[in-house]
């Protein structure tokens, strides 16, 4: 069993951000798995999505149910094989899982208050620059690959554009070159749910000893709906009433209600919302969803994605899922076309999995087979 060990590095030099602001000093939480080879050519960076962290794989010592969020993908003998590769997971700035974020003390605060809503806006590009600085500290100049799903895939794409000389391959799963208006709309509704919660206190709820759990619950419920496919929802829940509810018309005691949890899908969404509100930070949710909204590398090139990707040099693997309507296959095909316009080496797999956007986290043998084969060829290339 792979045992994970949390690590952290402190950075004193200010990090300039895309917004024009900066973070004066910060910590980055990370974990590593496997062994770095002699010439340091077998390192793979895994970039996380919205509510994940640096805990990519394995379990913590003495905590049997602490599996990393991509433990089915990364580990000994798995598609990203830690017997061959040195895998690094980094927690992004602004997160609530160890790296400096809204819950940490603001060094510019005269009275030692935490950042809260004063934490600066961060972008995908800011995260990539911070990750590059962490790799510098680890003595790793070239990555065998950068890999991520969803928002993590955007980071992998940004790596290929910002540091083309530092990676051999980019693996972009269930992602897109930017968000559609519909996706931005979902994010905005979720953010409104949080900021209109009376316990939000303009983002400084920490000072009041409260958490805007009502807003977080609704935000998670909205997001979770978009991660699942219609087929999965119908197969798993359909129109089934909860077991504790008497079917309508079978008892004179039955009462129709607009307030009670009647359907199984309602119960499931409320469960997901309650669980999320117990561990995630509201300001972090605002920051990360806004980073998703802002990502649009083609904007600086008049909307021309081919021009935006012209400076890339690495090989690419893109994977999409047919039932993923939030990051639809058409968005991955946009990337494939733009890369082919630049004569890049591109592999593309479109998987007919039923699970929607969440498919990138699940055990689909075709999907895992594609990734396994791709990394096996990479292992031969770097001679690990």
């Amino acid at each position: 069993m792979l045992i994970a060990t949390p690590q952290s590095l402190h950075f004193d030099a200010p990090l300039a951000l895309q917004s024009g602001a900066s973070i004066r000093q910060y910590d980055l939480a990370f974990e590593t798995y496997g062994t770095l080879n002699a010439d340091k050519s077998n390192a793979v960076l895994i970039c996380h999505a919205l509510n994940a962290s640096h805990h990519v794989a394995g379990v913590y010592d003495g905590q049997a149910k602490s599996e990393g969020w991509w433990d089915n993908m990364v580990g000994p003998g798995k598609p990203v094989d830690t017997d061959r590769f040195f895998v690094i997971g980094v927690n992004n700035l602004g997160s609530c899982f160890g790296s400096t974020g809204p819950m940490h003390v603001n060094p510019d605060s005269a009275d030692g208050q935490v950042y809260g809503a004063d934490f600066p806006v961060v972008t995908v590009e800011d995260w990539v620059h911070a990750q590059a600085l962490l790799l510098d500290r680890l003595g790793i100049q070239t990555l065998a690959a950068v890999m991520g799903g969803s928002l993590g895939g955007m980071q992998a794409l940004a790596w290929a554009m910002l540091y083309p000389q530092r990676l051999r391959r980019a693996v972009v799963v269930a992602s897109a070159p930017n968000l559609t208006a519909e996706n931005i709309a979902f994010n905005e509704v979720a953010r409104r749910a949080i900021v209109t919660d009376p316990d939000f206190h303009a983002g400084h709820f920490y000072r009041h000893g409260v958490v805007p759990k009502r807003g977080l619950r609704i935000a998670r419920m909205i997001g979770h709906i978009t991660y699942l496919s219609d087929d999965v929802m119908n197969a798993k829940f359909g129109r089934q009433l909860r077991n504790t509810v008497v079917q309508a018309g079978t008892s004179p005691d039955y009462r129709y209600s607009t307030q009670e949890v009647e359907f199984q899908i309602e119960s499931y969404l409320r469960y997901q919302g309650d669980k999320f509100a117990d561990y995630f930070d509201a300001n972090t949710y605002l920051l990360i969803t806004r980073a998703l909204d802002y990502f649009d590398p083609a904007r600086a090139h008049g909307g021309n994605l081919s021009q935006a990707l012209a400076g890339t040099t690495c090989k690419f693997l893109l994977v999409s899922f047919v039932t993923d309507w939030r990051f639809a296959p058409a968005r991955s095909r946009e990337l494939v076309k733009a890369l082919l316009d630049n004569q890049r080496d591109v592999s593309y797999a479109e998987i007919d999995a039923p699970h929607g956007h969440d498919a990138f986290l699940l055990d689909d043998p075709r999907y895992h087979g594609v990734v396994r084969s791709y990394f096996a060829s990479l292992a031969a290339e770097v001679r690990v």
Side-chain angles (χ1 to χ4, degrees):
M1 182 177 292
L2 185 65
I3 301 298
T5 303
Q7 303 175 65
S8 181
L9 282 175
H10 180 74
F11 296 80
D12 282 318
L15 178 68
L17 304 175
Q18 197 172 37
S19 66
S22 65
I23 298 178
R24 183 155 62 86
Q25 58 185 16
Y26 57 95
D27 297 314
L28 290 177
F30 68 103
E31 291 178 8
T32 64
Y33 322 93
T35 303
L36 190 62
N37 62 8
D39 62 359
K40 299 182 179 181
S41 65
N42 70 330
V44 174
L45 176 66
I46 301 291
C47 303
H48 69 76
L50 193 156
N51 65 318
S53 70
H54 53 294
H55 183 41
V56 175
V59 297
Y60 293 130
D61 195 19
Q63 301 178 43
K65 295 184 178 180
S66 59
E67 292 87 355
W69 59 270
W70 227 354
D71 188 66
N72 62 352
M73 180 68 72
V74 177
K78 296 178 182 179
V80 183
D81 190 349
T82 52
D83 288 334
R84 293 179 164 186
F85 295 100
F86 180 68
V87 177
I88 307 156
V90 183
N91 188 216
N92 290 330
L93 288 169
S95 181
C96 51
F97 297 116
S99 292
T100 298
M103 302 171 73
H104 289 83
V105 172
N106 182 351
D108 295 322
S109 170
D111 55 354
Q113 294 286 348
V114 300
Y115 278 104
D118 296 328
F119 194 87
V121 172
V122 287
T123 65
V124 168
E125 291 82 0
D126 295 330
W127 291 333
V128 168
H129 289 313
Q131 292 161 5
L133 291 171
L134 183 138
L135 293 176
D136 290 343
R137 290 277 292 272
L138 296 179
I140 298 169
Q141 288 305 306
T142 303
L143 289 163
V146 179
M147 179 179 182
S150 190
L151 176 56
M154 290 178 170
Q155 293 169 66
L157 192 62
W159 259 97
M161 292 183 287
L162 296 172
Y163 295 98
Q165 75 284 2
R166 295 193 67 169
L167 71 158
R168 291 175 177 268
R169 302 194 186 192
V171 180
V172 180
V173 183
S175 196
N178 56 30
L179 289 192
T180 61
E182 181 183 46
N183 266 314
I184 296 172
F186 279 120
N187 285 345
E188 174 59 7
V189 173
R191 287 191 294 266
R192 289 304 96 192
I194 290 171
V195 303
T196 56
D197 186 319
D199 287 333
F200 185 64
H201 294 286
H204 295 293
F205 50 89
Y206 317 95
R207 302 174 187 176
H208 298 266
V210 295
V211 175
K213 286 192 173 185
R214 282 166 288 185
L216 277 168
R217 289 187 190 104
I218 296 170
R220 182 57 173 175
M221 290 167 73
I222 293 166
H224 204 75
I225 291 169
T226 71
Y227 303 148
L228 303 177
S229 71
D230 186 49
D231 288 345
V232 162
M233 277 202 185
N234 279 322
K236 193 170 183 179
F237 305 106
R239 293 184 46 79
Q240 294 300 310
L241 294 164
R242 294 176 64 204
N243 292 332
T244 56
V245 175
V246 179
Q247 294 290 327
T250 63
S251 168
D253 297 327
Y254 183 83
R255 296 290 185 270
Y256 287 95
S257 171
T258 61
Q259 301 296 317
E260 297 301 321
V261 178
E262 301 276 30
F263 291 89
Q264 288 184 2
I265 183 61
E266 294 176 312
S267 178
Y268 173 75
L269 288 174
R270 293 199 188 190
Y271 166 76
Q272 292 294 335
D274 289 343
K275 185 171 68 170
F276 186 74
D278 283 340
Y279 75 84
F280 209 77
D281 177 68
N283 283 310
T284 290
Y285 195 96
L286 304 184
L287 286 166
I288 296 183
T289 55
R290 188 54 98 187
L292 267 164
D293 294 349
Y294 280 136
F295 184 72
D296 187 5
R299 176 176 293 175
H301 300 271
N304 190 313
L305 185 59
S306 296
Q307 288 184 13
L309 295 172
T312 62
T313 59
C314 69
K315 298 178 181 179
F316 288 84
L317 169 64
L318 284 87
V319 180
S320 69
F321 302 93
V322 169
T323 56
D324 182 357
W325 57 274
R326 185 149 196 192
F327 289 82
R331 307 309 315 281
S332 289
R333 292 197 293 268
E334 287 178 43
L335 288 168
V336 171
K337 181 185 181 301
L339 290 166
L340 290 176
D341 286 345
N342 288 293
Q343 299 183 324
R344 297 295 172 261
D345 185 319
V346 185
S347 299
Y348 175 57
E350 191 169 302
I351 308 295
D352 186 14
H355 312 99
H357 187 57
D358 268 357
F360 86 91
L361 296 169
L362 303 176
D363 292 316
D364 184 284
R366 297 158 298 177
Y367 162 43
H368 280 211
V370 167
V371 175
R372 183 183 298 277
S373 177
Y374 197 73
F375 274 89
S377 68
L378 176 58
E381 186 178 296
V382 298
R383 297 179 181 180
V384 299

